[in-house]
Amino acid sequence: MSKYEIPFLTACINAFGRRFSMTRQAAYRYLKEHQGLSFLIEFYDVEHLQSMDETIDDLLVICQKNGGALG
């Protein structure tokens, strides 16, 4: 993992939590449980080039496909 990925993951977790009125801890648990964090790590090279809103939209789709119920 590069030194740039950790701040990106942190920003994504915080933004996801804000959008869905979740604490940072709840957002982290949700993203971890529904493979959102794995997605961000695997596709960092593409996702970090998008706007945060687009990244959160992508996360929502991935998490819903993996059993998440937000949306």
Side-chain angles (χ1 to χ4, degrees):
M1 186 175 293
S2 79
K3 68 179 181 177
Y4 301 108
E5 288 179 64
I6 293 173
F8 174 72
L9 291 174
T10 302
C12 290
I13 292 166
N14 290 336
F16 192 89
R18 277 192 305 276
R19 183 183 289 185
F20 295 105
S21 301
M22 303 167 83
T23 65
R24 283 180 284 199
Q25 293 82 4
Y28 170 81
R29 284 191 302 271
Y30 179 87
L31 292 171
K32 184 170 175 63
E33 180 178 340
H34 301 291
Q35 285 80 50
L37 293 178
S38 297
F39 168 79
L40 287 176
I41 292 167
E42 184 174 350
F43 295 102
Y44 170 79
D45 58 331
V46 174
E47 292 296 322
H48 85 281
L49 299 174
Q50 299 187 81
S51 72
M52 188 57 71
D53 285 334
E54 289 173 317
T55 299
I56 300 306
D57 291 343
D58 290 348
L59 280 172
L60 183 58
V61 169
I62 293 300
C63 289
Q64 287 175 335
K65 286 182 179 182
N66 289 295
L70 291 177

